[in-house]
Amino acid sequence: MADDPQRNFRSAYYEKVGFRGVEEKKSLEILLKDNPLGILPPHSDSHALVGGYRKEQYQDILEALEVMRFINSSTPTTQVYLRMFQLESQVLPRCSETSPPDEENEDFLSISRAMEEIVDDPIDCYWLIKCFVSQFHTKFGDSIPHLPKSLEHYLSQEEPRLLNHLKNTSALAQLPYSLWFRRCFAGCLPESSLQRVWDKVISGSCKILVFVALEILLSYKIILMGINRPEGVVKFLRNIPQENTDAIVTKAIDLWHKYCGTPAHAV
């Protein structure tokens, strides 16, 4: 008897999202048949109204920035988003004090550039950037400084030789932690892979960032072991090959499960 294509697809999907046991699959089947999962807001009729309010708010902020001459028709969209976010956060500088973006602003701009590649509509794009950045800093702001040490711990478990090499060449302290942990790999991974990582972050875990960084190091350990200068290590890791990133993210998720079980909100 030929295999059922639908069953094969479901099996592959279950494996992909982490449901590997029979009982887990049965539980998921029950959930999928149950209507009130509590995912969507109860008043779906208000979605269009809320969307209208957000559009009006977007236009009001945009016009205010134009009147104050912070932006004009030639201002890059990501810079517009940054000024909008600063205005709403009440940290907009004076025009006379405007200076090149600092590291925190560069983090915002990197995430904005990545989100632009994912979302076409500028209004939706801004709201997604704003909510992602705000949620990330609110939930994980205190955890981010500890992620490099966490990466070192897991690397010692998986590949101690590589860890020793990075220490001996003084590269460990100079790894691109801001790119990985503050920018959530924006500017490092292509958007198709980035969305899978951000999905986990939005779901409540910044620990996934550690395991993506870990898998990058493991995937390129032979190359890294051959580089003896820290600047060479950093240059390579800031510009990793883009064709293998989906596999890296998949293996990172496996490592996440290995060390954290099946985490829903592992911080």
Side-chain angles (χ1 to χ4, degrees), residues 13-30:
Y13 178 76
Y14 290 143
E15 294 288 338
K16 188 173 182 180
V17 298
F19 286 84
R20 295 181 171 87
V22 174
E23 293 304 318
E24 289 174 320
K25 293 175 184 178
K26 287 181 179 177
S27 299
L28 182 59
E29 289 282 3
I30 294 170

Side-chain angles (χ1 to χ4, degrees), residues 140-152 181 207 210:
F140 308 125
D142 293 337
S143 302
I144 300 305
H146 304 289
L147 296 186
K149 211 61 181 168
S150 184
L151 173 61
E152 182 180 342
F181 301 148
K207 201 73 170 282
V210 172

Side-chain angles (χ1 to χ4, degrees), residues 38-211:
I39 296 172
L40 293 174
H43 304 295
S44 57
D45 292 344
S46 66
H47 291 180
L49 183 63
V50 172
Y53 287 150
R54 288 182 174 178
K55 183 177 180 179
E56 290 178 9
Q57 184 174 339
Y58 178 93
Q59 294 296 343
D60 288 344
I61 299 169
L62 199 65
E63 290 173 9
L65 288 170
E66 289 172 346
V67 169
M68 291 187 288
R69 298 183 180 178
F70 272 95
I71 62 172
N72 54 51
S73 58
S74 63
T75 304
T77 312
T78 52
Q79 289 281 351
V80 173
Y81 295 150
L82 174 61
R83 295 305 184 198
M84 292 177 72
F85 185 74
Q86 289 176 331
L87 180 58
E88 288 204 277
S89 304
Q90 299 182 349
V91 294
L92 187 70
R94 297 175 182 270
C95 281
S96 59
E97 297 173 352
T98 302
S99 57
D102 58 18
E103 185 176 0
E104 184 175 345
N105 290 340
E106 285 293 351
D107 296 341
F108 183 94
L109 292 170
S110 293
I111 292 171
S112 297
R113 283 189 286 268
M115 194 70 80
E116 267 195 322
E117 296 297 320
I118 299 171
V119 184
D120 293 329
D121 183 80
I123 299 173
D124 290 341
C125 188
Y126 172 68
W127 278 94
L128 286 169
I129 296 165
K130 172 187 172 182
C131 292
F132 181 85
V133 171
S134 299
Q135 176 181 299
F136 184 73
H137 287 296
T138 300
K139 284 190 172 184
F140 308 125
D142 293 337
S143 302
I144 300 305
H146 304 289
L147 296 186
K149 211 61 181 168
S150 184
L151 173 61
E152 182 180 342
H153 167 73
Y154 291 119
L155 185 57
S156 71
Q157 304 295 307
E158 291 290 322
E159 194 57 59
R161 287 181 63 249
L162 177 56
L163 176 60
N164 289 333
H165 175 74
L166 294 174
K167 285 182 176 179
N168 293 336
T169 57
S170 301
L172 184 66
Q174 299 185 41
L175 296 182
Y177 296 123
S178 291
L179 175 64
W180 291 347
F181 301 148
R182 294 179 60 86
R183 301 181 185 180
C184 302
F185 293 93
C188 177
L189 299 176
E191 284 64 43
S192 59
S193 302
L194 194 61
Q195 288 181 68
R196 298 174 62 198
V197 177
W198 284 6
D199 178 66
K200 297 292 185 290
V201 174
I202 292 168
S203 297
S205 174
C206 67
K207 201 73 170 282
I208 186 63
L209 302 175
V210 172
F211 292 109

